[in-house]
Amino acid sequence: MRNSSRYNTVRRVLLGTTAAAIGAVGMMMPMQSTAQTATVAPVAWTQPANLADLIEVVSPAVVKITATHTGKTAENIPRGALPDNLPEGRMGELFKRFFDEQQGGPKQFRNTQPAQALGSGFVIDEDGIIVTNNHVVEGADKLSVTLKDGREFDATLLGTDPKTDLAVLKIDAGGKLPSVKWGNSDKLRVGDPVFAVGAPFGLTGSVTSGIVSARGRDIGAGPYDDFIQVDAPINKGNSGGPLFDAQGNVVGVNTAIYSPSGGSVGIGFSIPAELAKSIVSEIEANGQVERGWLGVSIQNVTNDIAESLGLDKAKGVIVDSVQDGSPAKEAGVKSGDVIIGFGDTEIGDVGDLTLAVADAEIGKNTEMKVYRGGKTVVLEPKIAKLKTDTVKLASNSNSASPDFNLGSLGLALQTEGDSVIVTAVEPDSGAASVGLQEGDIIVSINQKPVNSLADVNAVIDEATEAGRPSVLVQIERDGNRRFVAIPFTEKG
């Protein structure tokens, strides 16, 4: 994925404990489920005076997409669930449905007839190029597109990108088609008016309006989450449809909703146009998306980690490990480096680096800034093509490991060869508070490798003399490495 803008907003959203789910909104998709006062001068609201004028212009380019799936047979029926020698034809099918409903069997054999899923899309090129969601077309045996004027055409799938849930289709309508243009989603602000057009529940040409509720939402859909949140009602069947700004330009692709009931509750999510348009262009040209690969396992820098490293604030991502033969390894990236910049992107969290590396030009050296040993070091990894999801995103939960001959940390340690092993963790200690466990291997402390108890004591003494409230410990557990900041235990 190349030549697209990068996003630097924080990608975190708290969904609370309400029994709700986040999910895609194609009709067949299941649901996935300090105030600061200031005096401000009022400004005029820029919502268009008459939305109908814009709708007349853009709605002919919005289409309904029908994805036909072949019916499932009774091949997965549990043994004994149906009697032998069922009659063929209609009567046999009725028996199957009866036993399915009475015995709670799998639903996949209730109807052997083809099933249809409905979604939305929009014409982005007058020659018949159509954008929609991957989940609308995934697994379909036949795709058809219905225009606003009622004409229906078979569609060819040019390609998909499941990681961002985008797909591109093409139809031959025998002439030029009404089309819409990409807008600049980077310029969207919270509160800007937007409107959506699509086919919710198959109701072609439905329009809803609202505002941008938030930017940079991470809803757990994938590694490239950077959604626009809107309160314009989005429902099943709106998937793949366009989100327009006040000028009638496409600023997003409607993809998911947050809902406890399956219907709209005013929280919808759209893929930003600045991300979508580069992916669509690449699919149109190559049938697939190529992404950059750096070859590191990373996690966010927390306040505790920042404090232990002497950083003034929690920003950037810390490298847990570097893969052999990767661009990062060849460029000299080390475990414990804090990546704070990549190309033109300032790295605030894991999402920033993931998007920036994916967007980097393959085969080109890219300037990368890392914080190492109290200094900023500039490296130039030559980005390779991503073949699989090799970048591991560490969770933000506090789980790690230290040791206990160290009463100051609450750890008992012993050496086995060149390894320092945690043999016990004192309850209510700093080590226990961050989740260290017996059997964890201490790899380094404050970015200094440790191979003996003497190494450990030397680093701990150094941190204590410097007045540090914690130490940054890299542990290895079940073959995976991660960093954790362990606070010193206060003694009464």
Side-chain angles (χ1 to χ4, degrees):
M1 181 173 55
R2 300 188 291 274
N3 301 323
S4 67
S5 298
R6 301 180 178 97
Y7 300 88
N8 300 313
T9 50
V10 176
R11 297 166 178 82
R12 296 291 175 264
V13 56
L14 299 178
L15 300 180
T17 57
T18 305
I22 289 179
V25 292
M27 286 197 66
M28 285 188 64
M29 298 300 295
M31 302 315 301
Q32 301 284 0
S33 337
T34 59
Q36 187 174 9
T37 59
T39 302
V40 295
V43 295
W45 189 21
T46 58
Q47 188 167 9
N50 190 350
L51 193 59
D53 294 336
L54 273 177
I55 300 301
E56 276 189 21
V57 175
V58 302
S59 61
V62 182
V63 303
K64 179 175 76 174
I65 296 174
T66 304
T68 302
H69 302 255
T70 56
K72 298 292 184 180
T73 66
E75 59 185 315
N76 295 321
I77 296 173
R79 186 181 300 273
L82 290 174
D84 295 328
N85 302 318
L86 285 176
E88 296 182 358
R90 176 69 175 166
M91 185 61 69
E93 181 61 31
L94 289 173
F95 268 99
K96 290 178 184 178
R97 293 184 185 181
F98 172 79
F99 277 90
D100 180 24
E101 293 168 358
Q102 293 298 312
Q103 299 191 21
K107 295 180 180 180
Q108 61 262 35
F109 62 81
R110 284 190 177 180
N111 189 355
T112 59
Q113 299 302 311
Q116 291 186 332
L118 302 180
S120 302
F122 55 97
V123 181
I124 200 64
D125 184 289
E126 61 183 8
D127 289 329
I129 302 298
I130 294 169
V131 179
T132 188
N133 282 145
N134 173 66
H135 76 255
V136 170
V137 302
E138 188 174 23
D141 300 290
K142 179 183 177 183
L143 297 168
S144 62
V145 169
T146 304
L147 305 180
K148 184 182 179 182
D149 60 16
R151 289 184 295 162
E152 185 174 347
F153 301 93
D154 289 339
T156 300
L157 181 63
L158 296 185
T160 65
D161 182 43
K163 292 182 176 64
T164 54
D165 197 15
L166 288 167
V168 182
L169 313 179
K170 190 177 190 311
I171 63 172
D172 182 3
K176 303 297 184 182
L177 291 172
S179 63
V180 288
K181 300 185 183 213
W182 293 111
N184 189 341
S185 57
D186 282 350
K187 293 184 178 179
L188 282 180
R189 298 185 301 166
V190 173
D192 278 347
V194 288
F195 65 97
V197 184
F201 305 106
L203 301 173
T204 305
S206 294
V207 180
T208 56
S209 68
I211 61 170
V212 174
S213 301
R215 295 286 313 276
R217 289 301 200 199
D218 182 344
I219 63 174
Y224 307 106
D225 280 17
D226 193 16
F227 288 97
I228 303 166
Q229 180 184 329
V230 299
D231 71 350
I234 306 294
N235 287 287
K236 294 180 180 181
N238 270 123
S239 279
L243 182 74
F244 292 102
D245 63 13
Q247 288 71 48
N249 297 314
V250 178
V251 290
V253 182
N254 299 318
T255 297
I257 62 174
Y258 174 71
S259 173
S261 61
S264 172
V265 293
I267 301 179
F269 300 99
S270 299
I271 302 167
E274 289 304 303
L275 176 62
K277 65 184 178 183
S278 63
I279 292 173
V280 168
S281 294
E282 193 159 352
I283 291 175
E284 186 181 351
N286 306 316
Q288 61 182 354
V289 177
E290 291 186 348
R291 289 186 170 87
W293 175 57
L294 182 60
V296 290
S297 175
I298 55 178
Q299 68 184 83
N300 287 332
V301 173
T302 63
N303 288 327
D304 289 339
I305 291 176
E307 193 173 57
S308 67
L309 290 174
L311 289 167
D312 57 352
K313 60 181 179 179
K315 69 173 184 177
V317 297
I318 189 166
V319 177
D320 288 327
S321 60
V322 183
Q323 296 185 33
D324 291 336
S326 68
K329 188 78 169 181
E330 294 176 1
V333 179
K334 298 180 180 179
S335 175
D337 283 347
V338 176
I339 301 174
I340 56 177
F342 188 90
D344 298 328
T345 303
E346 181 180 344
I347 303 302
D349 62 8
V350 166
D352 290 334
L353 184 63
T354 302
L355 283 169
V357 172
D359 190 47
E361 185 173 346
I362 296 169
K364 179 181 177 181
N365 291 86
T366 303
E367 182 179 285
M368 185 172 74
K369 295 178 181 178
V370 303
Y371 179 83
R372 177 191 296 170
K375 299 184 296 183
T376 299
V377 179
V378 177
L379 305 174
E380 292 191 352
K382 186 177 182 179
I383 300 303
K385 178 181 176 181
L386 176 68
K387 295 181 180 179
T388 58
D389 289 329
T390 50
V391 177
K392 298 178 181 178
L393 308 183
S395 69
N396 291 322
S397 61
N398 288 330
S399 81
S401 57
D403 210 297
F404 182 77
N405 310 357
L406 299 175
S408 58
L409 295 182
L411 292 172
L413 303 172
Q414 72 178 37
T415 57
E416 293 183 8
D418 292 333
S419 298
V420 179
I421 311 294
V422 176
T423 58
V425 180
E426 185 177 14
D428 301 322
S429 65
S433 70
V434 295
L436 280 143
Q437 298 176 8
E438 178 183 345
D440 286 341
I441 300 172
I442 306 299
V443 178
S444 69
I445 301 178
N446 282 355
Q447 299 180 313
K448 294 183 179 179
V450 294
N451 303 108
S452 67
L453 294 180
D455 291 339
V456 173
N457 288 325
V459 180
I460 295 299
D461 290 344
E462 182 181 316
T464 302
E465 291 175 5
R468 295 272 178 93
S470 60
V471 289
L472 183 67
V473 178
Q474 185 184 33
I475 66 154
E476 182 174 320
R477 180 186 298 166
D478 298 327
N480 297 314
R481 293 185 177 185
R482 65 172 284 113
F483 287 93
V484 62
I486 305 174
F488 288 111
T489 303
E490 296 183 6
K491 298 296 182 181

